[in-house]
Amino acid sequence: MRATITGVGHYVPEKRLTNVELEQMVDTNDEWITTRTGIKERRVLDVDKGTSYMAVQAAQHILDQKRVSADEIDLIILATVTPDMPIPSAASFVQRELNATHCWGFDLNGGCTGFLYALATGAQFVETGKYQKVLVIGADKMSSIIDYQDRNTCVIFGDAAGAVLLEPSEDRDFGILDFDLHLDGKGVDHLYMAGGGSLHPASLETVQNRMHFVFQDGRTVFKHAVKGMADISEKVIQRNGLTAEDIRFLIPHQANHRIIESVSKKLHLRPDQVIENIENYGNTTAATIPLALSEAYQDRRLQAGDRIILSAFGAGFTWGSLLLRWSMGLDGD
Ligand code: UT7
């Protein structure tokens, strides 16, 4: 038995934050942001809404499209670094809003690789035959932890959610075929938010020292991201007896256009084999991959039988690659 994606959905807030608007907020300019990152604008969620709001919209879209009732869901895995609150999980809010009365669920923090961690985890429950319907969501409200006085980070990140439904496939040629995931804590010092956890609980001092915002040593993360994503994707492609020609699409984590370009070149992929939407949304952390996947499906770019590589790199450091064969459309759905 394989686990396969049978539904996709996404949500982005309406409010746009453009490069030109950022020029009024920090010492930056449209030209720098565009050439160094590929980003033109990002979305920002209302201050009175949490990450679960976006996760619910993305998941509800799937339930509506598939005409699946929320009480059929067995498990909700929500990849996020920005839960609505430290306790309880954002998955609890999603379960309540969806009224998914027969499930359990949890949040998973894998940084920008969170969605891949969650997808691989969800797939295990389906492959064993334990569960029939697993909702895997990647959602982040990065605007809640970004310092809009720090030009190193505020130009990069945005808010969004993406979701998939995993169900069993008897045909072992389709669905999630392989994955390779990694964690190396040597990366801890290069991308983190220090305040608000058990080591530095919220205090006047942590607020004054701006410790409730993300810090990133961009240059170091950049180098590791290119090598990490390229090497692991190459490994997954090769060990499945495939070459670049066999891959219909690479859907990379959208952190920087230059990272995506370098990884694609290392993998000998043509631009038409790479799905990129960073220009419109920036880096939405755990949401980038399911958002890009959902948009590509909506635009009818994905065909049944396509071999797709998902790859990401993020805080931890975490990184990984997942190979899947697209099955939606096989039976006319
Ligand atoms: O998603 C999780 C994983 N994250 C990533 O993969 C992100 C990886 N890193 C990156 O994407 C890039 O490193 C950044 C986009 C964050 C930065 O780009 P960079 O080309 O690595 O720039 P840099 O940090 O090396 O800075 C180059 C210069 C510096 O000025 P000096 O020291 O050369 O005078 C910065 O101060 O650009 C300056 N700079 C800016 N200038 C205008 C940094 N941010 C800005 C800005 N506007 N927003």
Side-chain angles (χ1 to χ4, degrees):
M1 189 113 66
R2 295 274 190 209
T4 196
I5 293 174
T6 60
V8 284
H10 68 269
Y11 174 82
V12 293
E14 273 172 33
K15 190 174 168 230
R16 292 159 201 261
L17 177 60
T18 64
N19 291 352
V20 175
E21 285 170 285
L22 280 163
E23 286 178 4
Q24 316 302 314
M25 297 159 70
V26 286
D27 180 16
T28 190
N29 56 77
D30 176 45
E31 206 259 328
W32 190 96
I33 304 172
T34 307
T35 54
R36 305 305 291 170
T37 73
I39 303 166
K40 278 290 188 190
E41 60 182 35
R42 60 295 290 140
R43 301 295 178 98
V44 178
L45 186 65
D46 298 344
V47 282
D48 63 346
K49 294 191 174 80
T51 293
S52 70
Y53 175 84
M54 298 187 291
V56 166
Q57 308 304 311
Q60 189 66 55
H61 178 82
I62 297 177
L63 300 183
D64 294 345
Q65 288 290 309
K66 301 271 307 170
R67 296 203 176 87
V68 166
S69 163
D71 59 17
E72 293 175 55
I73 301 298
D74 300 302
L75 170 62
I76 298 170
I77 308 178
L78 175 50
T80 188
V81 300
T82 52
D84 295 30
M85 299 175 185
I87 304 171
S89 69
S92 313
F93 290 89
V94 174
Q95 182 280 332
R96 184 175 70 179
E97 281 306 307
L98 293 177
N99 197 22
T101 47
H102 292 108
C103 74
W104 63 291
F106 56 94
D107 292 358
L108 186 157
N109 181 341
C112 293
T113 317
F115 181 75
L116 294 193
Y117 276 25
L119 196 55
T121 304
Q124 305 313 300
F125 289 98
V126 175
E127 283 173 21
T128 56
K130 177 84 179 164
Y131 294 138
Q132 305 297 307
K133 287 184 172 50
V134 175
L135 262 181
V136 180
I137 310 171
D140 270 303
K141 184 186 178 186
M142 294 306 291
S143 61
S144 66
I145 55 168
I146 290 303
D147 183 352
Y148 286 96
Q149 295 178 21
D150 177 8
R151 70 175 183 174
N152 291 298
T153 50
C154 74
V155 302
I156 301 171
F157 292 98
D159 304 339
V164 302
L165 181 67
L166 285 177
E167 291 186 89
S169 158
E170 296 292 343
D171 188 338
R172 290 187 54 79
D173 288 339
F174 289 89
I176 293 169
L177 305 180
D178 195 10
F179 59 83
D180 211 306
L181 299 168
H182 289 272
L183 173 65
D184 183 353
K186 286 197 200 82
V188 161
D189 298 334
H190 303 292
L191 179 47
Y192 59 84
M193 186 179 90
S198 55
L199 187 59
H200 303 291
S203 66
L204 187 57
E205 195 189 337
T206 61
V207 172
Q208 281 169 345
N209 291 336
R210 310 188 84 72
M211 289 164 71
H212 298 274
F213 294 126
V214 170
F215 167 84
Q216 175 170 244
D217 165 9
R219 228 175 280 191
T220 304
V221 180
F222 189 106
K223 277 188 223 139
H224 284 85
V226 172
K227 185 165 166 43
M229 286 165 67
D231 287 357
I232 205 67
S233 298
E234 181 76 50
K235 186 175 161 194
V236 169
I237 291 169
Q238 278 182 4
R239 78 173 175 214
N240 284 277
L242 305 171
T243 67
E245 277 306 306
D246 302 312
I247 303 303
R248 181 62 196 96
F249 287 117
L250 165 72
I251 306 185
H253 169 52
Q254 314 278 314
N256 187 314
H257 169 68
R258 290 183 295 132
I259 295 178
I260 295 174
E261 204 173 35
S262 300
V263 171
S264 310
K265 277 194 185 137
K266 278 174 178 276
L267 294 173
H268 307 290
L269 296 172
R270 301 179 310 270
D272 68 279
Q273 289 175 287
V274 183
I275 290 182
E276 188 174 344
N277 63 6
I278 191 168
E279 186 178 348
N280 304 325
Y281 307 117
N283 182 347
T284 57
T285 303
T288 65
I289 290 178
L291 169 59
L293 185 73
S294 177
E295 278 197 338
Y297 176 72
Q298 228 173 39
D299 298 346
R300 300 181 184 279
R301 276 182 285 168
L302 310 185
Q303 304 294 325
D306 284 350
R307 286 187 184 80
I308 300 173
I309 287 275
L310 312 180
S311 189
F313 189 93
F317 292 138
T318 56
W319 71 102
S321 194
L322 184 146
L323 171 67
L324 61 88
R325 191 140 181 251
W326 195 249
S327 62
M328 284 178 75
L330 270 183
D331 45 15
D333 60 352

